[in-house]
Amino acid sequence: MFNNRELISQVAVTAAQMRDIEARIFAAGIPVAALMEKVAGLITRRVEEILGQGDKVNNYSSPSPPLPLSPSPLRIGILAGPGHNGGDALVVARELYFRGYEVRVYCPIPKLKELTSQHLQYVRSLDIACYESIQNLQDCDFLIDGLFGFGLERDITEPIAGAIHQLNQWNKPVISIDVPSGLHTDTGEILGVGVRATYTLCLGLWKLGLLEDQALEYIGEAELIDFDIQYADVQAVLGEYPKVKRITTASALSTLPLPRQQVTHKYKEGNLLLVCGSRRYAGAAILTGLAARSSGVGLLSIAVPQSLADTMISHLPEALIIRCPETESGAISQLNLPANTDLNKFDAIACGPGITLDADSVVREILDSSKPLLLDADGLNVLASMGTLPTLQKRQALTILTPHAGEFKRLFPDIDVNQNKILAAQEAAKQSGAVVLFKGSKTAIANPQGWVWIIPQSTPALARGGSGDVLTGLLGGLIAQAVSRNLSVEKMVATAAWWHGRAGILAAQERTQLGVDALTLTRYLMPALTSVNR
């Protein structure tokens, strides 16, 4: 279905897995030196492209000022460590020198790997200035970080720790090779101190640590430098179907329920029940419904308190609005489904946005259904109060949970969420038997079998009240369509999160990050898809 290069772009690996994959490549006959030359050539080409972008080097996640373009030639500072990451950096230094840039090298560790030492020797033969003090690079226009690559396990200590602190204080544009120096390859944890990069050029395969929330302030804008690893080598190490994958545009689009058959009708395109809203949180019901409508679901029913019904009809005239009795506080007190209808008539149920804890009895009733169920917001809080694991272990149908960090801790108090989001999501899914969509800057989706999908791109513009309601509606509609078409529900969960994030990115680009309220976000759901299909 996908070609070799697309599959490569989806895979994420640990340091140990990357070592094993590289070992296969070297065992097949490619010399280490040849691969280093190839990789460094690709890095050099990308560096020159970045240098040509001027102030585009700086994006919202970067602390650096615009790149000055006036000096000629540009002064490039190279940070070279003792390993092959340093070797890559030294080859880049050589190539940039040959292209007319003024190059300076900071090489603080005298004991180098043999190949790296040879490249340093040649760099010195070209009269490229090499220093043991970072201060000699302070007036450089641009810095390339090749101190430590993947696999660093110990905290960085003095004097290099001090040098990195100084570098970060300069606020100059920095490109890190593979991973920013000081970043743990697997977890994204900072080992004492870390380089704050403007760009990270990840080599060969994505490293898991780059997909963790805690790495975001260090990696800047990350991209993959594909040096033609064969997917067969990846499968030999990770198995035929690697369990941790990034959701790419191609993989997300392939999962959407498109194209539709020429001969179809609304009963074939998913039947969704939303249970949402209260007198206090009427907006949550509106946002959830609008997003569900954008999903393309064939039939949409929305259960709300009686006092919200007329408002809902005015916003969603095509939906079936179910008027439910309500508590004194304005929450749904019980479902009031139409005659000859029960919960099992729907393809999927989504419950939680804006319902408040006073709708406890309704959540309990829905949990007894035999249909795929999405729980969000107060639906999750009610579940936590009931006991997450014993409650879900009684369910026969699939459950999808969409917690943010606070809700996750209430649902799974024994799982540490502070260090590794991917492992936390995996463990929660394993324990609960549910699909867990762990929200964040890097959203992770895990299923009970240990498969994980990572949403690699998002925007802080989504840090607004109501964004989660939009995700619930969109996701509910796509799940209903997946069920009606016998598609993978778990993959559809990941696709919905990708779609939601893409809409936020597009809205932020057109309106600025401050202008992406949840209602605006719903209006960008369709443009987010059409923009990638052009």
Side-chain angles (χ1 to χ4, degrees), residues 186 210-211 218 230 236 312 335 347 364 414-415 427 486:
D186 299 353
L210 299 178
L211 305 179
Y218 291 88
Q230 295 304 294
M312 294 299 296
L335 292 176
D347 290 312
R364 291 172 183 268
D414 296 330
I415 298 177
E427 184 60 25
N486 294 315

Side-chain angles (χ1 to χ4, degrees), residues 272-277 288 332 335 348-355 359 362-364 366-367 373-380 382 400 402 472 476:
L272 172 66
L273 171 65
L274 294 180
V275 181
C276 51
T288 307
I332 300 172
L335 292 176
I349 305 167
C351 171
I355 62 173
V362 174
V363 177
R364 291 172 183 268
I366 291 171
L367 279 164
L373 170 62
L374 164 62
L375 289 178
D376 183 42
D378 277 326
L380 297 174
V382 171
I400 300 101
T402 60
T472 296

Side-chain angles (χ1 to χ4, degrees), residues 3-12 204-206 224 226 228-231 234:
N3 63 34
N4 191 69
R5 303 336 307 159
E6 170 60 27
L7 291 170
I8 286 293
S9 72
Q10 296 175 20
V11 174
L205 295 167
W206 288 100
L224 187 68
D226 183 352
D228 299 318
I229 292 174
Q230 295 304 294
Y231 196 63
V234 174

Side-chain angles (χ1 to χ4, degrees), residues 143-473:
L143 299 164
I144 297 175
D145 162 34
L147 283 173
F148 302 105
F150 77 84
L152 185 69
E153 294 287 346
R154 293 179 295 180
D155 283 4
I156 295 176
T157 57
E158 297 295 344
I160 297 177
I164 292 176
H165 276 302
Q166 283 187 301
L167 179 151
N168 289 338
Q169 291 171 359
W170 293 341
N171 284 333
K172 293 179 181 289
V174 179
I175 290 180
S176 284
I177 296 175
D178 207 13
V179 296
S181 293
L183 190 87
H184 192 286
T185 310
D186 299 353
T187 68
E189 177 187 0
I190 295 302
L191 299 171
V193 62
V195 170
R196 294 180 183 272
T198 312
Y199 274 80
T200 297
L201 304 183
C202 187
L203 304 182
L205 295 167
W206 288 100
K207 312 306 183 296
L208 280 174
L210 299 178
L211 305 179
E212 291 281 352
D213 285 358
Q214 60 188 337
L216 276 176
E217 64 179 294
Y218 291 88
I219 64 177
E221 186 172 327
E223 59 186 83
L224 187 68
I225 299 295
D226 183 352
F227 58 80
D228 299 318
I229 292 174
Q230 295 304 294
Y231 196 63
D233 288 322
V234 174
Q235 290 178 308
V237 174
L238 303 185
E240 185 176 0
Y241 301 103
K243 284 202 165 183
V244 180
K245 288 189 175 183
R246 297 168 69 255
I247 293 295
T248 64
T249 296
S251 62
L253 293 178
S254 72
T255 307
L256 285 172
L258 293 171
R260 287 185 167 177
Q261 296 177 352
Q262 289 295 321
V263 180
T264 188
H265 50 75
K266 60 188 177 183
Y267 299 103
K268 286 187 175 182
E269 300 301 337
N271 186 357
L272 172 66
L273 171 65
L274 294 180
V275 181
C276 51
S278 61
R279 194 185 310 147
R280 184 178 181 185
Y281 299 114
I286 295 169
L287 293 168
T288 307
L290 290 173
R293 177 170 68 184
S294 293
S295 74
V297 68
L299 289 168
L300 175 60
S301 299
I302 309 177
V304 295
Q306 170 73 31
S307 57
L308 267 63
D310 291 342
T311 299
M312 294 299 296
I313 291 170
S314 69
H315 285 86
L316 292 136
E318 77 281 8
L320 172 61
I321 305 302
I322 301 172
R323 301 169 182 264
C324 297
E326 57 188 82
T327 65
E328 290 184 5
S329 64
I332 300 172
S333 62
Q334 66 182 66
L335 292 176
N336 184 29
L337 299 178
N340 301 318
T341 300
D342 61 29
L343 291 175
N344 296 322
K345 295 283 188 180
F346 299 96
D347 290 312
I349 305 167
C351 171
I355 62 173
T356 79
L357 292 176
D358 289 344
D360 175 281
S361 61
V362 174
V363 177
R364 291 172 183 268
E365 179 182 353
I366 291 171
L367 279 164
D368 288 335
S369 72
S370 61
K371 290 296 181 178
L373 170 62
L374 164 62
L375 289 178
D376 183 42
D378 277 326
L380 297 174
N381 292 327
V382 171
L383 174 63
S385 71
M386 296 170 64
T388 305
L389 301 185
T391 302
L392 292 183
Q393 286 163 5
K394 296 175 184 176
R395 289 204 85 229
Q396 299 300 309
L398 179 66
T399 308
I400 300 101
L401 310 177
T402 60
H404 55 57
E407 292 162 343
F408 190 102
K409 291 176 184 178
R410 288 191 285 275
L411 290 165
F412 306 103
D414 296 330
I415 298 177
D416 182 8
V417 301
N418 295 320
Q419 296 300 319
N420 193 315
K421 170 178 280 187
I422 294 171
L423 290 181
Q426 278 181 313
E427 184 60 25
K430 178 182 176 182
Q431 290 184 16
S432 65
V435 173
V436 177
L437 186 155
F438 193 174
K439 296 174 184 174
S441 299
K442 301 286 188 183
T443 293
I445 300 101
N447 74 1
Q449 291 74 44
W451 299 85
V452 181
W453 295 264
I454 309 296
I455 310 303
Q457 292 181 309
S458 186
T459 169
L462 291 176
R464 299 281 294 269
S467 292
D469 303 333
V470 174
L471 176 59
T472 296

